[in-house]
Amino acid sequence: MKNIIENIKDENVIYYLEYLKYERRLSDNTIDSYGENLLMLLEQTRKDALSLSSDDIRNFLLNVEASTKTKAHYLSVFNSFYNYMIFNKKINSNPCDSIKAPKLEKKLPNYLTDEEVDKLLDIRLIKPVDYRNKAMLEVLYATGIRISELTNLELNQIDFDECIIRVLGKGKKTRIVPLGDTAIKFLTLYINDYRKFLLKTKTSNYVFINKDGNKISRQGFFKIIKKLAKEANINKDISPHTLRHSFATHLLNNGADLRVIQELLGHENLATTEIYSHLSNKKIEEDYNHHPRAHKESGIN
């Protein structure tokens, strides 16, 4: 965040970014992203933020080289900034109010079938890293937590007696997520018998360790899951987030309540979780297409 602030001369924007950090407690990456978006707007319009009109912002969005999704994100950032300025009585109206957000095509998240999950989790266990990878995949699929929440997981966040983990999520909010028997089994095996071989002479509170004895990174595990998917002959573009989507989709398909899934995933709004309803409906449609009379005329005139 420090580097972003050094490049921004508009004190109102700096004030807003500090609000995001100290009051909203957003991550540094998110704050940097918001700062970069606002800095781009100021540099291209060559005006102070509070002097920008609706036309200035509309022209910026029309001319900036970015995808529809990115433009929608820019508008969301600008809208948030101006609403905060209104709240602090710096301005009376939001110039973004009259700007229509770009229409986004709703893209359904990628997920694995039950069979594909079984193939991915069927890891040949030989080396300590194999047991670590197995434990990570089992925990991801059993809990649906984000990859950042998994890589930042510490030993004191696991309660083996209660079979739960205390997850520190977005906005530093804590939620409790249950662990299934299989996840507990391989997590216990990894921690008790194999984690020490990765740590070597080092000590760490983090659960998942790389070959150098340090906390495994998101990028590191991203490469691992890609490699494991390829070895399992799964022809889908897979990331750690795919298991989060699979967790939610499989829960919904097996009758779980959408609000329970929202709580487990740590979504602030139910609308975010409702995307899995679309996935479930899509699956119902696809399954119905296998019905022998789904594409035949009934013969009734």
Side-chain angles (χ1 to χ4, degrees), residues 4 18 20 28 64 85 102 121-122 162 193 195 236 244 260 277 298:
I4 290 295
E18 288 177 343
L20 295 180
D28 287 343
V64 68
M85 291 297 108
L121 297 182
D122 188 20
E162 297 294 330
D193 297 343
R195 183 173 171 273
K236 283 183 179 176
R244 179 170 163 86
V260 172
S277 294
S298 65

Side-chain angles (χ1 to χ4, degrees), residues 229-272:
K230 187 176 180 181
E231 290 173 356
N233 295 315
I234 299 172
N235 298 316
K236 283 183 179 176
D237 187 19
I238 291 179
S239 71
H241 221 64
T242 308
L243 281 176
R244 179 170 163 86
H245 294 321
S246 304
F247 162 82
T249 305
H250 296 169
L251 276 179
L252 191 63
N253 287 343
N254 285 285
D257 184 83
L258 201 60
R259 289 197 178 274
V260 172
I261 298 172
Q262 175 194 1
E263 186 70 25
L264 292 172
L265 293 176
H267 286 161
E268 196 166 319
N269 299 312
L270 185 62
T272 310

Side-chain angles (χ1 to χ4, degrees), residues 108 111 277-287 289:
L108 296 178
Y111 71 99
S277 294
H278 296 296
L279 274 178
S280 183
N281 292 338
K282 184 183 176 188
K283 184 178 186 302
I284 290 168
E285 288 173 12
E286 289 173 350
D287 289 348
N289 282 334

Side-chain angles (χ1 to χ4, degrees), residues 134-145 150 153-167 175-188 191 207-208 247 264:
K134 173 70 171 173
M136 290 188 82
L137 287 175
E138 290 287 356
V139 171
L140 269 182
Y141 180 58
T143 62
I145 61 176
L150 183 77
L153 189 68
E154 298 188 16
L155 294 168
N156 60 11
Q157 290 175 247
I158 308 170
D159 188 328
F160 287 100
D161 293 331
E162 297 294 330
C163 297
I164 58 170
I165 53 175
R166 291 177 177 84
V167 180
R175 70 184 188 278
I176 293 174
V177 182
L179 282 170
D181 292 343
T182 306
I184 283 285
K185 172 186 171 183
F186 285 103
L187 191 55
T188 304
I191 290 173
V207 176
F208 296 108
F247 162 82
L264 292 172

Side-chain angles (χ1 to χ4, degrees), residues 48-61:
D48 293 333
L50 298 192
S51 66
L52 291 175
S53 67
S54 297
D55 285 340
D56 291 326
I57 297 171
R58 190 179 288 108
N59 288 333
F60 167 81
L61 293 171

Side-chain angles (χ1 to χ4, degrees), residues 6 19 37-38 56 59 103 119 174 186 190 213 229 231 291:
E6 286 173 353
Y19 152 74
N37 298 162
L38 288 162
D56 291 326
N59 288 333
K103 200 164 188 179
K119 285 167 68 175
T174 302
F186 285 103
Y190 159 69
E231 290 173 356
H291 190 282

